[in-house]
Amino acid sequence: MEKRSVDSRVRGVSTGTTILAATFDGGVVIGSDSRASIGGEYVSSKTINKVVQVHDQIFCCMAGSLADAQAVTKAAKFHLSFHSVQMETPPLVIAAASVLQELCYNNKEELQAGFITAGWDRKKGPQVYVVPLGGMLVGQPVTIGGSGSTYIYGYVDAKYKPNMSREECLQFATNALALAMGRDNVSGGVAHLVVITETGVEHVVVPGNKLPKFHNE
Amino acid sequence: CSSLGTYDLSASTFSPDGRVFQVEYAMKAVENSSTAIAIRCKDGVVFGVEKLVLSKLYEQGSNKRIFNIDRHVGMAVAGLLADARSLSEVARDEASSFRSSYGHDIPLKHLSDRVAMYVHAYTLYSAVRPFGCSFILGSYDKDDGPQLYMVDPSGISHGYWGCAIGKAKQAAKTEIEKLQMKEMTCRELVKEVAKIIYIVHDEVKDKAFELELSWVGEVTNGRHQLIPEEVRQEAEKYAKDSLEEEDDSDEDNM
């Protein structure tokens, strides 16, 4: 998460973070790193939580400007809470993603925020949606984002398999985050992971020194 | 029910016995219209409308009384047709706006609540008159199953297994109550719906009529559509044959 310096505008708007989400057999894992930085030089927070709960079984990862992302998720959380009371049923994951999409698309000039939405609903089960900066919406079985994601595309492409078990998927997500945090200087800290299934939600936090180690580390 | 003095001139006035006469008069407009029915069964909803033909120059299939709202919702109406058309646009806008905001089909109960709220708003002010129509909304979803809701001019909305609106609604309701709709499929139900419309049609007072039939269910993959030609012909034949016999026909399988 960076201040909007000239650098980042020129470089493009993927900024200091690693976020991901992946579906497995019966659920979905969503996770992020915990570093907030300024100018790519100073770590302003080592323990920021970028995984936000927008409803009982729907979570979002924030990317881009932290201020913008927090403002958008706050509005989305309210909107979904109201919507679910009106519908007398929990919102669908696609509805949560669509709410974020409307906010990102209609305010695209002012905002610099992208999201990964993941959750479980009774209609379609576990799902992952990505809403990048311009306000597109696309559903995928696995997705990664943030500046750290560039270093793990190969790993994700090679290692992700649909319908993994919960443990396999959790290991996959932890490895992916660890690899990204190991190479991206603006990603780091702890790995925040959330596992969402039909029965509920489980938070897993892996501190920096407990992250999986790879060769020559 | 007689109106007392000046209590019936605007919707913003209650009568001394607590009635809003303008709303009741609006309901009278529905009662003067020809009958529309809809029945919910195991795997869908079937709509049937008795469309009275008032002119020899009438073009078949025109002046439709069954509308499509989005892809998955059907709406059958009775009462002032112009009011009904206007409300169908309201329903379409609601469904469209929901889909745009939330990325999926509008649940029928929510659509029904929203349009009912709109209808109700027109019963509150003297500057406007209430809508002179009732309508029946039906849809099918593979997770939530078939749903059926009816909205009347007062802005009230209820869910039903079967309902009827228009001049012969009492007779139609009696016929509907004889059916075991929860155990029937759409294909079986189409014939019964056609038969009921034929039964309640008054040959003496109203001459020619056109039967408008539509359905939404597993058979149409959740899309609301007019009944295909072969199915409609089979249904109308069943209806006409049933009427020719004095007793109810037992030979057709139910």
Side-chain angles (χ1 to χ4, degrees):
Chain A
M1 309 287 184
E2 298 190 6
K3 197 169 68 181
R4 250 168 277 181
S5 65
V6 178
D7 253 6
S8 71
R9 269 209 295 273
V10 166
R11 199 166 22 95
V13 288
S14 172
T15 48
T17 191
T18 308
I19 52 177
L20 53 68
T23 50
F24 62 89
D25 182 22
V28 61
V29 172
I30 184 168
S32 77
D33 73 310
S34 70
R35 179 171 292 177
S37 60
I38 298 182
E41 291 171 347
Y42 172 67
V43 176
S44 52
S45 172
K46 293 185 262 189
T47 53
I48 235 173
N49 188 4
K50 303 174 198 176
V51 184
V52 170
Q53 183 168 29
V54 289
H55 201 78
D56 295 359
Q57 284 173 293
I58 307 176
F59 282 72
C60 280
C61 275
M62 311 189 268
S65 148
L66 185 57
D68 287 352
Q70 283 185 347
V72 170
T73 52
K74 192 170 168 187
K77 203 168 169 177
F78 164 76
H79 199 140
L80 284 172
S81 159
F82 184 80
H83 175 70
S84 83
V85 168
Q86 235 185 1
M87 298 288 120
E88 293 172 358
T89 187
L92 300 184
V93 186
I94 180 82
S98 299
V99 165
L100 286 167
Q101 179 194 25
E102 282 229 294
L103 288 165
C104 290
Y105 182 77
N106 291 332
N107 298 296
K108 60 162 79 182
E109 306 304 324
E110 284 85 22
L111 292 173
Q112 264 198 359
F115 300 91
I116 294 178
T117 309
W120 186 94
D121 65 49
R122 65 173 185 84
K123 246 188 192 284
K124 283 176 138 183
Q127 298 144 75
V128 168
Y129 296 96
V130 59
V131 178
L133 253 40
M136 175 180 86
L137 184 142
V138 98
Q140 294 176 315
V142 61
T143 194
I144 54 178
S147 60
S149 68
T150 57
Y151 304 102
I152 53 171
Y153 273 101
Y155 178 77
V156 169
D157 286 347
K159 288 295 180 181
Y160 177 77
K161 293 183 305 291
N163 292 320
M164 286 187 276
S165 73
R166 184 187 174 285
E167 286 62 40
E168 283 177 314
C169 194
L170 203 47
Q171 190 59 55
F172 159 79
T174 314
N175 286 350
L177 281 173
L179 286 165
M181 284 151 68
R183 286 294 184 177
D184 184 24
N185 66 324
V186 286
S187 295
V190 309
H192 285 292
L193 292 149
V194 178
V195 184
I196 310 165
T197 58
E198 180 175 0
T199 46
V201 161
E202 192 203 325
H203 293 262
V204 177
V205 176
V206 187
N209 57 348
K210 297 270 185 356
L211 283 172
K213 291 191 178 355
F214 300 92
H215 85 283
N216 81 9
E217 282 192 49
Chain B
C1 56
S2 58
S3 61
L4 291 152
T6 52
Y7 304 118
D8 64 341
L9 295 176
S10 88
S12 66
T13 310
F14 275 107
S15 74
D17 54 351
R19 294 149 75 174
V20 181
F21 281 109
Q22 277 297 306
V23 174
E24 294 189 20
Y25 297 161
M27 295 193 195
K28 278 269 183 293
V30 180
E31 275 164 40
N32 289 337
S33 145
S34 63
T35 318
I37 67 171
I39 308 179
R40 172 183 162 195
C41 63
K42 202 165 52 174
D43 63 353
V45 174
V46 179
F47 295 89
V49 178
E50 170 205 19
K51 212 164 48 173
L52 298 179
V53 173
L54 300 168
S55 161
K56 283 202 166 57
L57 300 172
Y58 170 77
E59 181 191 353
Q60 199 187 41
S62 64
N63 279 356
K64 286 217 179 314
R65 300 238 327 250
I66 301 181
F67 301 92
N68 254 311
I69 313 294
D70 206 321
R71 294 180 295 211
H72 62 297
V73 177
M75 173 172 159
V77 305
L80 300 177
L81 195 48
D83 287 11
R85 285 205 186 118
S86 161
L87 283 174
S88 76
E89 279 304 302
V90 170
R92 284 168 180 160
D93 285 342
E94 281 292 337
S96 166
S97 151
F98 185 95
R99 186 185 280 287
S100 176
S101 297
Y102 301 108
H104 65 96
D105 293 353
I106 187 167
L108 193 68
K109 180 170 197 300
H110 185 66
L111 174 62
S112 178
D113 286 346
R114 295 288 296 181
V115 188
M117 221 190 308
Y118 188 90
V119 169
H120 173 248
Y122 280 72
T123 68
L124 299 169
Y125 310 104
S126 59
V128 294
R129 65 162 175 79
F131 285 93
C133 64
S134 290
F135 53 94
I136 312 172
L137 294 165
S139 80
Y140 174 81
D141 171 76
K142 64 172 172 59
D143 296 302
D144 303 319
Q147 309 260 314
L148 182 60
Y149 283 86
M150 197 260 280
V151 180
D152 73 13
S154 68
I156 240 180
S157 147
H158 286 309
Y160 292 91
W161 277 95
C163 63
I165 50 180
K167 57 173 59 157
K169 73 171 187 217
Q170 271 310 118
K173 276 192 190 143
T174 312
E175 292 303 316
I176 292 174
E177 279 165 21
K178 294 180 188 166
L179 299 173
Q180 301 289 344
M181 67 277 289
K182 294 183 195 180
E183 276 121 52
M184 295 169 77
T185 64
C186 273
R187 287 202 172 270
E188 294 161 348
L189 195 54
V190 184
K191 299 195 293 196
E192 298 305 323
V193 167
K195 178 176 159 193
I196 293 174
I197 295 285
Y198 270 84
I199 289 176
V200 305
H201 172 67
D202 189 340
E203 275 296 304
V204 177
K205 291 204 195 124
D206 310 309
K207 291 296 162 67
F209 80 101
E210 188 185 316
L211 173 59
E212 215 176 307
L213 284 171
S214 75
W215 59 6
V216 57
E218 206 181 328
V219 64
T220 63
N221 253 316
R223 293 203 162 200
H224 175 251
Q225 299 168 342
L226 291 181
I227 302 264
E229 196 51 38
E230 340 69 79
V231 181
R232 133 193 290 288
Q233 280 174 8
E234 190 193 344
E236 282 200 85
K237 182 176 183 305
Y238 173 80
K240 286 177 186 159
D241 291 347
S242 306
L243 248 57
E244 267 160 27
E245 303 157 15
E246 240 43 51
D247 321 286
D248 282 358
S249 61
D250 285 7
E251 60 222 16
D252 285 299
N253 48 331
M254 266 277 298

